[in-house]
Amino acid sequence: MTSTACFIIVSRNDIPIYEAEVGSAAKREDAAQLHQFVLHAALDIVQDLAWTTSAMFLKAIDRFNDLVVSVYVTAGHTRFMLLHDSRNEDGIKSFFQEVHELYIKILLNPLYLPGSRITSSHFDTKVRALARKYL
Amino acid sequence: MADPASTPLGKMLLEEITPVVMVLCTPYVEESCLKNGLSLIQLLSPFCDFTNIDVPVRTASDQPYRLRKFKLRLFYSSDIRQPNLEVAKERLKKVITHVGEKNFLESSDPSQVNNLLSRPESEMLPSWFQFFNKELVRTLSFSDHEAFDHPVACLLVVSSKDDEPVNRFVDLFNTNKLPSLLNDSAMDPKIMKHYLLLHDNQDGPFNKATKLLADMRNAFGQNDCQIICFNSSQDGKIHHQDNPWAPFKSDALPTENLGCFLNLDDLNEIKDFMQELSSKHIIPYMEQKIRVLNQQVSATRKGFRNQIKNLWWRKGKEDTIDTPNGPVYTFNSIESQIRILGDYAFMLGDYELALSNYRLISTDYKLDKAWKRYAGVQEMMGLTYFLLDQSRKDAEYCMENAFNTYLKLGSAGRRNATRCGLWWAEMLKTRDQLKEAATVYFRICGEDTLHSAVMLEQASFCYLLSKPPMLHKYGFHLVLSGDHYKKCDQIKHAIRTYRSAIPVYKGTTWSLIKDHVHFHIGQWYALLGMYDVAVTHMLEVLASTHQSKTTQELFLRDFLQIVQKTGKTFEVLKLQLPVINISSLKVIFEDQRTNASAAAASVKESLWHSLEEDMIPSSTARSNWLELQSKIIPRKYKESNICVAGEALKVDIEFKNPLQIRISVSSVSLMCELSANPEEDANSSNNEVQNNEDRTSTSSGDINSCLILSEVGFSLEGGETTVVQLTVTPRIEGILKIVGVKWKLSSAVVGLCNFEFNPVNKRVVRGRRKQHSPSSDLKFLVIKSLPRLEGFIHSLPEKTYAGDLRPLVLELSNQSKFPVKNLKMKISNPRFLYAGNQKELNADFPACLKKKMNVEKSGSHANVNKTLQNLFHFPEDISVQEETSLSWPLWFHAAVPGSIPLYITIYYEMEGVSSIMKYRTLRMHYNLQVLPSLDVSFQLSTRPSRSQEFLLRMDVVNKTTSECFQVHQLSSVGQQWEISLLQPVDSILPSQSLFAGQSLSCFFMLKDRRRSSTSEDSIPSLSHIQSDVRLGPQDNSEAFFDVSSSPLADFHDCERSSQGMSSQGCEYKVDFVFIAQLPKGNRDSSSNAPLVFSHHACDCSPSSMSPISWLVDGPRTIQHNFSAPLCEVNLKMTITNSSDAIASVHINTFDSPSSNNQPIDDATTSQPPEHQSGWSEIPIVNDTKIITTEALTTRVPKSLSLESVPQYIWSGTSSTKLVLQPRSTAEIPLQICVFTPGIYDLSNYVLNWILTPVNDGENQGEANKSSGVCQGYPYYLSVLESNFKD
């Protein structure tokens, strides 16, 4: 488990629809906003890279000091962004793939409007469990 | 790509990497120069830059080329040393602060990202970066590992005023004063010297100077000495149009007239001198030096042999020297010479030569682990590659290598790394690799926070300028830069960067980012004392719901502090705290429809509408659709809502606290505008007095104004939502407009909310608003004050038990000066409430319900129709006079348990008050909670033996939890029935009171009096008929309650109609009224009288009663001598048709009781053997017990099938058919034959009957029962053997 990890799902309109601090490190107020800043800034890089490859997992695309941003882009251009400080690419890939499955389940919910915030607590617990498992 | 030299980096390099001339001068020289406000170097500097010198140069190769651009850098010898770090830093800081001040004042925020990008690039990029970078690079000049800062030549300047100038020249070049570079043998002390005699024309004649020049030439050589005469202008009034010195004297005041003593000749002389110095002396000197060095290098290092030797030699040296900075190279070491060769070649523009030498030396340095020198050479290689415009990859590789190598050195190489990074970034920028350039800028950031801040800001601009623009990165780096600026107390810079980032984050849903930016800008503005701006930024973060509680507290606290510091109350149009739910806005106003309570206002309009439908005249006035209502009411009144002066308008608004912390809100009030009604003014003369002033009062609760506004204060816990009712009372006529609401947050900030801002659907309760725009819903026409009735029902219980019957008093009070009349009232639920007579007002309850001895039956049902329509007209002569009140009795009966809404609407008219409103209605709404009390059920069954008598079983269960009821009486409604107790209640219920949970069953005999009267042929007087039964104490002389008089009878009719019964029922249906009492004092009621509870049961009828009844009559016991073969018994069956239809009855007798279907067959086949005894098991059936026909059908086969021995047979007809006229009786003879003694149950016969209706007017229930089958009921006959023999 990484000490710092921040997972955000960003809709195609650059709106964060799900946010979770999944790191084991103690939560700090200013860290959360730094994470948002770093992930937000990485959107530019995602924009560039997403169209250069057919793979969904873009690997580590950006870094800020010792924080690395790994991104997974779904077919609908929803971006799963993970900010982490560990180098465990396989784990991150598996994490993204499983979250993708969860996300598709959310999308299949007829009451969920695509692009709106994911409020399902079930999703949240699942994501956190996956984070514990893979990261 | 463009010429590398013309790119920004190229220009910078051509400026910065140029030969350095060391200047040595005497104080007199400086003094003369300072007359012009310039130092010597400043004086000379403008003329050191040659853009088109056009000098042929021949370096190592034989081919000469022409040098176009050339520049000399002049430095005092004292400045030729590594600059003091602290001083340099201080200077840079000053530069930044200065820029910060300047930019802060003139900065204008682009609000949109698009605007940001649409500006030209030059405008976007702040120019001071260039300047700052140059300054930063200069802090690193004169390092010992690079040669291009080493002076190429030395310019010795002596004034003609000096004594013995020649000696002065010698003194000047004194090694003690020379810079350390020359002294510590980092460079060759034997440098080219040039001697200049400066003659100030103000000091004396020129000829003295020429003499001195001659001496100098003798002493130092012909070519190396020159003279300049200047300060030729005597008055010092010369003003230079384009001041050449301005770029070199940055701190000059604009008033200062630089070069005031220099005329055009002087300038030309200086210019010529400098040109000659460079082209005739410095360049040739450098050329020569290059050639010499190149020869040396070729001799020692070029060629295969030398290389091998060098390699071997260095390998051997590796073990010996290992100092952290690598070995020390003196100027005459071959490594230094190669470096000098490279640098000179670079400065003279022979980049090929420079590159080859740099390459050569870099491997050496690398092998020697002289990392700093290695990095320096790599850096130069990169730049050379760049200027050669070859192999970008190599250039970048070299720069990166240099940068990394510098970084590896730690803090020592840090600043070199910065310079290298700057060049590198510039190089990348030139090649449009802005993204990479930004990364480089980011990497430059080091321990110096201030420099990092500038670098980060430059990086952000790289992202902005990259194609496509990377705005996210731009914003992020701006914020980072701002943070760094803040750390260095450069608040203005910090604010500037953050503000530049705002357009990027505008409207973002990345909430933490937005909060961070706005909160910090707000804080910093507050630090600068600009509280107004601070507040606007703090407002943005106020309603941040996603933040933690502590952060929210911090935000709110800071915000309030800032507001406090501003020293005034802010009016904020879009204050987010608390959140107002505009869609919850609910306006309650009263035009002709008035409400008695808030509860009435919340009832749906349609409900009232249906209730008032036939009561108000408006619908009747509009007889057809052509006659528009606009004829009756002027059009403009229709369009806006009407309200009455002096009557309050209520507005319900929902406030929500989005935060987790408590907030206090005070002084919540409406903002309203009351303006004169323009049309009204034009017509009427009454208002003329007030016409002159424009009555538009928007302000708060000023009592003297024409509006009265209520003020509310409350505090909201975290996440709490509250609905606040605000009122506004217009006091004069006009047009009232509700503009919005305002409130005070923490008694510091005033928040305003305009209702019109959001054209979302507003829920205006009253009014037809389909054709209205939402804004006109909040516009009201205020009309003259009108009478308004207040209505109240006294002592209407909120909670009661079912069956509760009591009188109530409705009080209508009229506060106005005008009488109202023509009152009408309608009650939604007459089962519960209806209006009584005025004379009942003071009647004694419950005594008034008791039977009077002189019964007057007339008019008891007078108001049946009235109650059915629910509309009650007050008598014509009743009116509510001014300032009086009217009381009217109401009867209340809690008919059924449950939550019962009661709607009462009272219509009244007023005369001559207003042309707009002729009538008003008063609406009252009450909610009753009716609890179940007694559960009374009746079961009626026919007595098999007596067709006109019924057995009534009454079950009463007390369903309350605590109350104890006293049973009082049971009455049957109408004159038809006579009721009597079968056994006294005392025996069942000695206490006469029914405790909680207790149940009571009573049996009564019910007689159809009409039937009995026909049979008895006597008409008893009505008074004797017992239609009431006392259940209470028998000795009690208390009178019965009269169920046939006003309140009880009326409620009973309501019950009937509500239970869906017609008032003309079948004659066998009985209605009962059961009355119980709750003894005094048991309930917390104000009156001492016992509470009366009446329970009504309608249309009780015997369960599954058939219209045909019969009676078998005959002997019960017969003695027979069975010596005779058989015994015949004659019986008589009396059949009665109680229906109104003709009945055809078919009586089938059968001998076997087993089956109804095949009676005769069975009887014959299962003929019993003779010997079997006739005594068979007889079911114990009591004659008095009620046995329904269904019970019998099940029992018969079960009990007798085992035996299945009919000991008798029906003789005579086995099937009889007869037709019975309506309400007639017929008798049929029956006969059986008995063979053995025994007890016989003569029940095995069946009556089939078919009803043929007389006419079709029969009700549906009868028609359904038009045919049926009845099983015979038991009739027991005992046949005994007679003992005596005849």
Side-chain angles (χ1 to χ4, degrees):
Chain A
M1 184 104 190
T2 51
S3 58
T4 311
C6 178
F7 177 62
I8 289 191
I9 299 180
V10 183
S11 79
R12 53 183 304 166
N13 307 320
D14 289 354
I15 295 167
I17 54 175
Y18 174 78
E19 291 161 66
E21 291 279 346
V22 289
S24 58
K27 234 180 152 179
R28 280 168 55 227
E29 276 290 317
D30 53 336
Q33 72 207 21
L34 177 68
H35 293 168
Q36 270 210 0
F37 268 118
V38 174
L39 288 171
H40 185 254
L43 284 176
D44 277 331
I45 315 270
V46 181
Q47 192 66 30
D48 285 353
L49 285 179
W51 305 108
T52 61
T53 171
S54 61
M56 286 184 169
F57 181 45
L58 302 184
K59 305 191 173 144
I61 55 145
D62 197 10
R63 49 181 303 133
F64 178 75
N65 298 337
D66 56 344
L67 297 171
V68 184
V69 182
S70 290
V71 175
Y72 183 94
V73 184
T74 70
H77 209 65
T78 303
R79 283 144 293 176
F80 301 163
M81 307 180 80
L82 182 74
L83 187 75
H84 54 99
D85 54 4
S86 69
R87 312 211 158 264
N88 175 16
E89 202 169 86
D90 289 343
I92 289 167
K93 188 173 184 181
S94 316
F95 171 74
F96 277 144
Q97 278 166 348
E98 300 230 358
V99 171
H100 192 188
E101 262 180 51
L102 288 176
Y103 175 68
I104 286 168
K105 283 179 190 163
I106 288 281
L107 279 184
L108 288 174
N109 181 353
L111 300 178
Y112 174 75
L113 187 73
S116 64
R117 198 161 252 285
I118 299 173
T119 50
S120 159
S121 59
H122 177 252
F123 182 80
D124 188 61
T125 41
K126 279 281 181 101
V127 167
R128 285 173 196 280
L130 286 175
R132 272 195 296 281
K133 187 174 167 192
Y134 289 114
L135 303 180
Chain B
M1 194 178 115
D3 178 23
S6 62
T7 60
L9 177 63
K11 280 182 195 159
M12 191 167 146
L13 291 177
L14 291 185
E15 265 179 42
E16 293 303 314
I17 304 180
T18 52
V20 172
V21 176
M22 183 166 68
V23 177
L24 298 163
C25 64
T26 58
Y28 282 116
V29 175
E30 278 299 298
E31 192 184 298
S32 307
C33 293
L34 278 173
K35 287 179 186 170
N36 296 298
L38 297 161
S39 70
L40 175 67
I41 285 184
Q42 281 167 350
L43 185 74
L44 296 178
S45 290
F47 312 102
C48 292
D49 200 356
F50 311 101
T51 49
N52 196 7
I53 191 169
D54 204 16
V55 174
V57 179
R58 195 176 68 85
T59 53
S61 64
D62 293 333
Q63 278 296 320
Y65 62 92
R66 300 195 85 82
L67 191 66
R68 301 275 167 195
K69 269 181 136 177
F70 192 69
K71 194 190 166 183
L72 289 176
R73 286 184 292 161
L74 304 182
F75 290 99
Y76 289 121
S77 64
S78 54
D79 290 341
I80 299 188
R81 58 187 166 84
Q82 296 204 15
N84 186 335
L85 206 62
E86 290 308 312
V87 174
K89 265 192 181 170
E90 205 51 49
R91 198 174 72 241
L92 282 173
K93 192 175 168 185
K94 232 166 79 187
V95 168
I96 291 171
T97 314
H98 175 73
V99 170
E101 296 286 337
K102 210 175 84 190
N103 282 7
F104 187 70
L105 293 175
E106 62 197 25
S107 63
S108 61
D109 275 331
S111 54
Q112 291 292 321
V113 178
N114 291 342
N115 294 355
L116 198 75
L117 289 170
S118 61
R119 293 183 303 168
E121 195 172 314
S122 54
E123 220 177 282
M124 254 191 277
L125 197 64
S127 53
W128 63 276
F129 285 156
Q130 208 69 37
F131 182 67
F132 174 82
N133 289 347
K134 209 184 271 180
E135 288 290 321
L136 197 60
V137 168
R138 279 183 186 159
T139 60
L140 287 163
S141 44
F142 309 114
S143 62
D144 50 1
H145 73 291
E146 288 156 328
F148 54 79
D149 279 335
H150 295 179
V152 171
C154 178
L155 182 65
L156 297 116
V157 190
V158 170
S159 169
S160 54
K161 270 205 293 189
D162 282 308
D163 306 330
E164 296 188 38
V166 181
N167 290 344
R168 297 293 299 167
F169 279 121
V170 179
D171 290 345
L172 276 178
F173 199 78
N174 189 330
T175 43
N176 298 336
K177 289 184 190 167
L178 287 182
S180 56
L181 273 177
L182 283 101
N183 286 336
D184 58 10
S185 69
M187 65 174 286
D188 194 355
K190 284 181 281 174
I191 65 171
M192 190 195 98
K193 297 190 188 79
H194 197 81
Y195 304 94
L196 175 66
L197 183 71
L198 204 63
H199 176 69
D200 192 339
N201 275 344
Q202 288 176 337
D203 292 340
F206 183 63
N207 44 12
K208 187 195 165 198
T210 46
K211 191 179 159 286
L212 283 170
L213 180 65
D215 291 348
M216 278 165 61
R217 284 195 167 142
N218 286 335
F220 306 114
Q222 190 66 34
N223 292 330
D224 292 340
C225 300
Q226 267 179 303
I227 183 167
I228 292 180
C229 299
F230 76 137
N231 286 355
S232 311
S233 169
Q234 296 300 319
D235 50 3
K237 291 279 168 63
I238 292 177
H239 188 76
H240 298 274
Q241 208 63 38
D242 46 345
N243 196 329
W245 295 280
F248 301 93
K249 195 170 158 90
S250 53
D251 51 348
L253 299 168
T255 51
E256 214 171 346
N257 194 1
L258 296 176
C260 51
F261 291 101
L262 300 174
N263 64 13
L264 211 58
D265 290 339
D266 294 342
L267 291 185
N268 284 335
E269 203 173 336
I270 296 169
K271 212 187 234 168
D272 289 344
F273 165 72
M274 289 311 296
Q275 175 127 18
E276 206 187 318
L277 176 68
S278 30
S279 61
K280 294 248 175 78
H281 297 93
I282 294 178
I283 296 176
Y285 171 75
M286 286 171 75
E287 277 178 295
Q288 205 204 335
K289 184 125 193 197
I290 287 171
R291 281 197 294 271
V292 171
L293 285 171
N294 194 32
Q295 240 169 5
Q296 276 185 23
V297 169
S298 300
T300 53
R301 302 298 304 278
K302 295 276 169 73
F304 184 68
R305 198 172 132 234
N306 283 336
Q307 277 180 14
I308 297 289
K309 202 170 94 187
N310 182 43
L311 213 65
W312 179 81
W313 176 69
R314 287 197 188 269
K315 279 229 161 146
K317 217 168 75 171
E318 197 175 1
D319 309 324
T320 50
I321 302 160
D322 198 18
T323 54
N325 287 331
V328 178
Y329 301 93
T330 53
F331 67 93
N332 45 14
S333 68
I334 187 68
E335 287 85 2
S336 295
Q337 286 183 342
I338 297 172
R339 171 79 208 216
I340 289 169
L341 176 60
D343 282 345
Y344 276 24
F346 187 92
M347 286 190 278
L348 284 184
D350 190 352
Y351 300 119
E352 301 281 356
L353 182 65
L355 188 61
S356 70
N357 281 296
Y358 288 143
R359 272 203 204 119
L360 192 66
I361 192 68
S362 80
T363 47
D364 287 355
Y365 283 144
K366 197 174 178 182
L367 284 173
D368 288 352
K369 296 199 167 63
W371 294 121
K372 192 168 182 181
R373 286 165 193 272
Y374 170 70
V377 171
Q378 285 287 324
E379 194 179 353
M380 288 311 291
M381 274 171 74
L383 295 176
T384 321
Y385 274 125
F386 171 75
L387 286 172
L388 280 172
D389 200 15
Q390 291 176 344
S391 174
R392 290 180 182 190
K393 227 178 184 169
D394 285 346
E396 270 167 47
Y397 173 76
C398 288
M399 293 310 281
E400 181 158 15
N401 199 6
F403 186 77
N404 289 337
T405 313
Y406 276 133
L407 283 185
K408 259 197 285 183
L409 291 172
S411 59
R414 185 75 232 181
R415 291 184 307 128
N416 285 95
T418 305
R419 185 190 64 182
C420 175
L422 280 176
W423 279 339
W424 184 16
E426 282 297 331
M427 187 158 54
L428 291 168
K429 268 158 90 175
T430 311
R431 291 174 176 166
D432 285 330
Q433 290 171 296
L434 285 155
K435 214 159 56 175
E436 288 78 7
T439 325
V440 173
Y441 277 127
F442 186 78
R443 285 173 70 181
I444 293 172
C445 300
E447 68 265 35
D448 192 319
T449 330
L450 185 58
H451 297 178
S452 305
V454 183
M455 292 307 146
L456 284 167
E457 199 181 347
Q458 295 194 57
S460 75
F461 278 99
C462 285
Y463 283 122
L464 177 65
L465 296 172
S466 67
K467 298 275 182 295
M470 300 173 79
L471 291 171
H472 298 111
K473 287 268 181 191
Y474 168 64
F476 180 43
H477 284 84
L478 277 176
V479 168
L480 283 177
S481 155
D483 280 340
H484 280 94
Y485 277 129
K486 175 66 186 45
K487 279 182 202 156
C488 310
D489 287 328
Q490 296 283 346
I491 292 174
K492 288 181 179 176
H493 273 294
I495 291 174
R496 188 178 50 78
T497 49
Y498 264 64
R499 270 173 51 182
S500 317
I502 285 180
V504 177
Y505 296 122
K506 193 171 195 179
T508 187
T509 44
W510 295 67
S511 42
L512 293 179
I513 293 179
K514 197 175 149 201
D515 287 350
H516 175 87
V517 172
H518 282 292
F519 178 65
H520 283 93
I521 296 181
Q523 257 191 339
W524 296 337
Y525 268 122
L527 286 177
L528 291 180
M530 299 169 71
Y531 298 116
D532 297 20
V533 202
V535 165
T536 57
H537 283 284
M538 290 303 272
L539 279 173
E540 299 275 341
V541 300
L542 220 48
S544 49
T545 49
H546 46 272
Q547 295 281 13
S548 68
K549 199 174 171 184
T550 46
T551 317
Q552 288 177 354
E553 268 167 5
L554 175 78
F555 285 175
L556 188 62
R557 195 187 59 222
D558 276 19
F559 171 70
L560 292 175
Q561 270 174 7
I562 291 168
V563 168
Q564 226 165 32
K565 278 180 194 156
T566 58
K568 51 184 176 180
T569 49
F570 261 91
E571 290 217 346
V572 184
L573 192 58
K574 282 184 216 159
L575 187 61
Q576 304 278 319
L577 220 58
V579 174
I580 291 182
N581 187 355
I582 291 278
S583 61
S584 77
L585 185 69
K586 197 167 135 185
V587 183
I588 303 160
F589 68 98
E590 298 178 332
D591 39 17
Q592 69 266 37
R593 304 158 288 201
T594 63
N595 299 310
S597 61
S602 59
V603 177
K604 265 192 202 154
E605 174 67 17
S606 60
L607 217 151
W608 289 120
H609 200 71
S610 61
L611 196 62
E612 287 168 359
E613 213 165 27
D614 46 357
M615 195 163 67
I616 56 173
S618 68
S619 52
T620 56
R622 191 156 64 173
S623 53
N624 70 49
W625 60 275
L626 280 170
E627 192 185 345
L628 286 172
Q629 213 173 4
S630 57
K631 285 184 183 172
I632 305 156
I633 298 174
R635 191 172 162 70
K636 72 185 170 80
Y637 297 146
K638 261 205 73 186
E639 278 178 359
S640 62
N641 302 312
I642 297 172
C643 71
V644 179
E647 291 176 19
L649 264 106
K650 293 169 190 157
V651 178
D652 284 352
I653 309 172
E654 194 179 288
F655 285 88
K656 184 175 191 293
N657 179 4
L659 303 183
Q660 297 166 41
I661 49 173
R662 213 178 81 103
I663 56 170
S664 77
V665 181
S666 59
S667 309
V668 185
S669 68
L670 288 171
M671 297 187 292
C672 298
E673 281 174 14
L674 183 64
S675 53
N677 185 351
E679 291 176 47
E680 189 83 8
D681 290 345
N683 299 336
S684 76
S685 54
N686 289 352
N687 287 345
E688 267 176 28
V689 187
Q690 292 134 322
N691 255 356
N692 303 333
E693 40 172 353
D694 186 20
R695 291 170 293 159
T696 315
S697 72
T698 47
S699 58
S700 53
D702 182 8
I703 302 297
N704 296 328
S705 81
C706 19
L707 284 173
I708 302 171
L709 296 164
S710 69
E711 279 202 356
V712 187
F714 53 90
S715 72
L716 288 169
E717 295 298 328
E720 197 186 336
T721 303
T722 186
V723 176
V724 172
Q725 187 167 71
L726 303 169
T727 63
V728 55
T729 312
R731 301 177 98 195
I732 49 168
E733 290 150 78
I735 288 174
L736 175 73
K737 205 172 153 202
I738 300 175
V739 179
V741 66
K742 66 174 177 182
W743 65 95
K744 223 174 192 180
L745 175 66
S746 301
S747 58
V749 197
V750 177
L752 307 173
C753 178
N754 278 1
F755 293 151
E756 254 118 349
F757 263 55
N758 299 27
V760 213
N761 46 337
K762 294 182 195 74
R763 260 169 54 217
V764 174
V765 173
R766 296 286 112 91
R768 322 145 195 127
R769 74 207 100 110
K770 284 204 179 78
Q771 67 271 42
H772 292 179
S773 69
S775 66
S776 72
D777 277 340
L778 296 173
K779 219 164 141 183
F780 298 91
L781 178 80
V782 184
I783 60 168
K784 217 156 69 176
S785 114
L786 282 177
R788 182 177 180 277
L789 280 189
E790 305 272 345
F792 182 69
I793 297 179
H794 288 290
S795 67
L796 181 70
E798 278 182 12
K799 198 185 255 188
T800 185
Y801 287 105
D804 189 7
L805 179 75
R806 62 170 91 188
L808 298 172
V809 176
L810 166 73
E811 188 174 316
L812 297 171
S813 63
N814 183 2
Q815 304 291 338
S816 72
K817 300 266 186 287
F818 307 97
V820 302
K821 53 166 200 162
N822 211 350
L823 284 85
K824 284 183 254 182
M825 174 164 73
K826 197 165 173 184
I827 297 164
S828 66
N829 208 338
R831 262 179 103 179
F832 286 83
L833 204 65
Y834 84 92
N837 283 322
Q838 196 174 13
K839 59 185 177 229
E840 286 168 343
L841 187 58
N842 296 317
D844 185 21
F845 178 81
C848 61
L849 296 179
K850 301 276 166 76
K851 243 174 203 168
K852 314 286 184 303
M853 287 330 283
N854 46 351
V855 200
E856 359 119 46
K857 291 287 162 189
S858 61
S860 65
H861 278 55
N863 49 7
V864 167
N865 287 337
K866 188 166 60 186
T867 49
L868 283 177
Q869 285 175 0
N870 307 345
L871 183 60
F872 174 76
H873 288 268
F874 286 88
E876 292 278 325
D877 53 338
I878 291 287
S879 68
V880 187
Q881 292 301 319
E882 56 267 34
E883 291 172 13
T884 57
S885 63
L886 169 75
S887 295
W888 198 264
L890 295 176
W891 285 105
F892 169 75
H893 178 227
V896 285
S899 179
I900 311 292
L902 280 180
Y903 305 103
I904 304 151
T905 171
I906 296 167
Y907 166 91
Y908 56 95
E909 289 177 5
M910 47 263 173
E911 228 171 43
V913 180
S914 166
S915 58
I916 301 161
M917 251 188 246
K918 294 244 188 287
Y919 69 90
R920 297 188 93 170
T921 53
L922 170 66
R923 292 160 170 187
M924 298 199 271
H925 170 60
Y926 293 95
N927 254 322
L928 287 177
Q929 202 70 34
V930 181
L931 306 173
S933 56
L934 294 178
D935 191 28
V936 186
S937 61
F938 296 95
Q939 201 178 28
L940 198 63
S941 36
T942 48
R943 257 180 98 172
S945 48
R946 308 264 179 85
S947 60
Q948 293 95 5
E949 284 180 13
F950 296 91
L951 199 68
L952 176 67
R953 172 180 169 158
M954 179 179 76
D955 294 303
V956 182
V957 184
N958 185 348
K959 290 197 160 179
T960 63
T961 51
S962 58
E963 303 300 340
C964 167
F965 291 94
Q966 269 183 358
V967 291
H968 189 264
Q969 83 176 66
L970 176 71
S971 304
S972 68
V973 179
Q975 310 298 321
Q976 188 186 339
W977 299 94
E978 189 178 316
I979 194 162
S980 60
L981 268 169
L982 276 180
Q983 62 191 124
V985 187
D986 293 343
S987 60
I988 313 162
L989 198 67
S991 65
Q992 268 91 38
S993 50
L994 208 55
F995 292 97
Q998 197 179 4
S999 66
L1000 163 75
S1001 294
C1002 289
F1003 290 95
F1004 301 90
M1005 173 84 88
L1006 199 63
K1007 264 190 197 158
D1008 187 347
R1009 187 181 301 146
R1010 184 187 52 195
R1011 187 65 49 85
S1012 61
S1013 67
T1014 49
S1015 60
E1016 284 165 28
D1017 280 334
S1018 66
I1019 302 157
S1021 73
L1022 289 173
S1023 56
H1024 290 295
I1025 292 165
Q1026 288 284 311
S1027 63
D1028 305 314
V1029 169
R1030 185 188 308 283
L1031 299 171
Q1034 293 301 309
D1035 53 340
N1036 196 340
S1037 62
E1038 216 179 325
F1040 288 111
F1041 288 105
D1042 188 0
V1043 294
S1044 59
S1045 73
S1046 170
L1048 277 171
D1050 289 338
F1051 279 126
H1052 188 75
D1053 285 334
C1054 292
E1055 288 297 309
R1056 282 194 71 91
S1057 59
S1058 69
Q1059 285 174 21
M1061 312 293 177
S1062 61
S1063 44
Q1064 316 91 350
C1066 152
E1067 58 192 300
Y1068 284 111
K1069 294 186 175 168
V1070 198
D1071 295 353
F1072 297 105
V1073 179
F1074 175 77
I1075 295 173
Q1077 281 185 329
L1078 202 56
K1080 340 176 169 196
N1082 265 13
R1083 294 285 307 266
D1084 48 348
S1085 115
S1086 54
S1087 69
N1088 285 327
L1091 292 168
V1092 178
F1093 291 84
S1094 70
H1095 296 270
H1096 300 256
C1098 297
D1099 285 0
C1100 298
S1101 59
S1103 45
S1104 76
M1105 191 176 127
S1106 76
I1108 306 295
S1109 61
W1110 71 94
L1111 193 64
V1112 177
D1113 206 3
R1116 294 281 172 155
T1117 310
I1118 284 177
Q1119 287 202 333
H1120 184 74
N1121 188 353
F1122 278 94
S1123 54
L1126 51 86
C1127 165
E1128 286 186 345
V1129 185
N1130 285 314
L1131 300 163
K1132 190 173 77 179
M1133 179 181 265
T1134 314
I1135 303 175
T1136 310
N1137 176 13
S1138 60
S1139 74
D1140 291 330
I1142 299 166
S1144 80
V1145 182
H1146 186 171
I1147 305 155
N1148 276 325
T1149 58
F1150 50 92
D1151 294 334
S1152 164
S1154 59
S1155 169
N1156 297 350
N1157 297 337
Q1158 33 195 326
I1160 296 166
D1161 292 348
D1162 275 6
T1164 49
T1165 49
S1166 61
Q1167 189 71 24
E1170 285 281 311
H1171 63 271
Q1172 273 195 337
S1173 158
W1175 301 101
S1176 57
E1177 193 189 4
I1178 298 296
I1180 305 138
V1181 179
N1182 195 341
D1183 201 19
T1184 54
K1185 187 136 182 178
I1186 307 109
I1187 298 161
T1188 57
T1189 47
E1190 289 96 327
L1192 262 174
T1193 47
T1194 54
R1195 184 176 296 164
V1196 166
K1198 191 180 154 201
S1199 58
L1200 294 180
S1201 60
L1202 290 173
E1203 313 275 324
S1204 72
V1205 264
Q1207 301 301 328
Y1208 65 95
I1209 53 167
W1210 295 93
S1211 56
T1213 52
S1214 66
S1215 169
T1216 313
K1217 206 166 185 178
L1218 76 159
V1219 174
L1220 278 169
Q1221 290 302 313
R1223 301 186 185 284
S1224 64
T1225 309
E1227 281 186 11
I1228 301 168
L1230 293 173
Q1231 194 180 43
I1232 57 163
C1233 291
V1234 183
F1235 305 103
T1236 49
I1239 300 174
Y1240 297 95
D1241 176 12
L1242 308 181
S1243 65
N1244 38 353
Y1245 58 91
V1246 167
L1247 255 80
N1248 291 309
W1249 49 269
I1250 297 167
L1251 285 182
T1252 323
V1254 180
N1255 51 359
D1256 290 332
E1258 289 294 319
N1259 64 20
Q1260 201 61 27
E1262 289 277 322
N1264 282 345
K1265 279 191 175 180
S1266 57
S1267 73
V1269 179
C1270 295
Q1271 192 76 35
Y1273 54 78
Y1275 178 88
Y1276 293 100
L1277 174 69
S1278 303
V1279 183
L1280 303 173
E1281 177 80 62
S1282 59
N1283 291 333
F1284 53 91
K1285 291 190 176 179
D1286 298 303

